[in-house]
PDB file of all heavy atoms in Angstrom:
ATOM      1  N   ALA R1365       3.187  30.129   0.005  1.00 97.00           N
ATOM      2  CA  ALA R1365       3.858  31.237  -0.812  1.00 97.00           C
ATOM      3  C   ALA R1365       5.277  31.505  -0.343  1.00 97.00           C
ATOM      4  O   ALA R1365       6.200  31.705  -1.180  1.00 97.00           O
ATOM      5  CB  ALA R1365       3.067  32.464  -0.773  1.00 97.00           C
ATOM      6  N   HIS R1366       5.591  31.523   0.946  1.00 97.00           N
ATOM      7  CA  HIS R1366       6.845  31.977   1.475  1.00 97.00           C
ATOM      8  C   HIS R1366       7.443  30.947   2.490  1.00 97.00           C
ATOM      9  O   HIS R1366       6.639  30.341   3.248  1.00 97.00           O
ATOM     10  CB  HIS R1366       6.696  33.302   2.217  1.00 97.00           C
ATOM     11  CG  HIS R1366       5.944  34.353   1.482  1.00 97.00           C
ATOM     12  ND1 HIS R1366       4.725  34.795   1.869  1.00 97.00           N
ATOM     13  CD2 HIS R1366       6.210  34.990   0.351  1.00 97.00           C
ATOM     14  CE1 HIS R1366       4.281  35.678   1.050  1.00 97.00           C
ATOM     15  NE2 HIS R1366       5.137  35.804   0.075  1.00 97.00           N
ATOM     16  N   ASP R1368       8.358  29.972   5.770  1.00 96.00           N
ATOM     17  CA  ASP R1368       7.815  30.315   7.116  1.00 96.00           C
ATOM     18  C   ASP R1368       6.279  30.086   7.113  1.00 96.00           C
ATOM     19  O   ASP R1368       5.730  29.767   8.200  1.00 96.00           O
ATOM     20  CB  ASP R1368       8.262  31.615   7.755  1.00 96.00           C
ATOM     21  CG  ASP R1368       7.581  32.910   7.343  1.00 96.00           C
ATOM     22  OD1 ASP R1368       6.586  32.811   6.573  1.00 96.00           O
ATOM     23  OD2 ASP R1368       7.935  33.923   7.800  1.00 96.00           O
ATOM     24  N   ASP R1369       5.579  30.259   5.983  1.00 96.00           N
ATOM     25  CA  ASP R1369       4.125  30.048   5.963  1.00 96.00           C
ATOM     26  C   ASP R1369       3.852  28.588   6.395  1.00 96.00           C
ATOM     27  O   ASP R1369       2.883  28.354   7.110  1.00 96.00           O
ATOM     28  CB  ASP R1369       3.521  30.301   4.553  1.00 96.00           C
ATOM     29  CG  ASP R1369       3.690  31.699   4.095  1.00 96.00           C
ATOM     30  OD1 ASP R1369       3.806  32.624   4.982  1.00 96.00           O
ATOM     31  OD2 ASP R1369       3.705  31.926   2.879  1.00 96.00           O
ATOM     32  N   TYR R1487      -3.800  37.571   6.058  1.00 69.00           N
ATOM     33  CA  TYR R1487      -3.951  39.038   6.280  1.00 69.00           C
ATOM     34  C   TYR R1487      -3.931  39.766   4.902  1.00 69.00           C
ATOM     35  O   TYR R1487      -3.487  40.842   4.815  1.00 69.00           O
ATOM     36  CB  TYR R1487      -2.879  39.544   7.238  1.00 69.00           C
ATOM     37  CG  TYR R1487      -1.451  39.094   6.874  1.00 69.00           C
ATOM     38  CD1 TYR R1487      -0.624  39.922   6.103  1.00 69.00           C
ATOM     39  CD2 TYR R1487      -0.929  37.845   7.265  1.00 69.00           C
ATOM     40  CE1 TYR R1487       0.652  39.558   5.730  1.00 69.00           C
ATOM     41  CE2 TYR R1487       0.291  37.460   6.882  1.00 69.00           C
ATOM     42  CZ  TYR R1487       1.120  38.284   6.099  1.00 69.00           C
ATOM     43  OH  TYR R1487       2.388  37.889   5.811  1.00 69.00           O
ATOM     44  N   HIS R1489      -2.245  38.948   2.088  1.00 86.00           N
ATOM     45  CA  HIS R1489      -0.980  39.016   1.300  1.00 86.00           C
ATOM     46  C   HIS R1489      -1.266  38.399  -0.111  1.00 86.00           C
ATOM     47  O   HIS R1489      -1.780  37.330  -0.216  1.00 86.00           O
ATOM     48  CB  HIS R1489       0.082  38.175   1.969  1.00 86.00           C
ATOM     49  CG  HIS R1489       1.420  38.487   1.411  1.00 86.00           C
ATOM     50  ND1 HIS R1489       1.776  38.245   0.110  1.00 86.00           N
ATOM     51  CD2 HIS R1489       2.579  38.969   1.958  1.00 86.00           C
ATOM     52  CE1 HIS R1489       3.023  38.614  -0.119  1.00 86.00           C
ATOM     53  NE2 HIS R1489       3.497  39.065   0.989  1.00 86.00           N
ATOM     54  N   HIS R1492      -0.046  34.905  -0.839  1.00 95.00           N
ATOM     55  CA  HIS R1492      -0.824  33.859  -0.119  1.00 95.00           C
ATOM     56  C   HIS R1492      -2.048  33.434  -0.891  1.00 95.00           C
ATOM     57  O   HIS R1492      -2.369  32.305  -1.042  1.00 95.00           O
ATOM     58  CB  HIS R1492      -1.160  34.316   1.256  1.00 95.00           C
ATOM     59  CG  HIS R1492      -0.005  34.482   2.200  1.00 95.00           C
ATOM     60  ND1 HIS R1492      -0.169  34.976   3.504  1.00 95.00           N
ATOM     61  CD2 HIS R1492       1.307  34.292   2.046  1.00 95.00           C
ATOM     62  CE1 HIS R1492       1.003  35.049   4.079  1.00 95.00           C
ATOM     63  NE2 HIS R1492       1.945  34.649   3.206  1.00 95.00           N
TER      64      HIS R1492
HETATM   65 ZN1   ZN M2729       3.813  34.397   3.810  1.00 72.64          ZN
END
Side-chain angles (χ1 to χ4, degrees):
H1366 312 114
D1368 80 5
D1369 295 336
Y1487 49 95
H1489 195 300
H1492 293 177

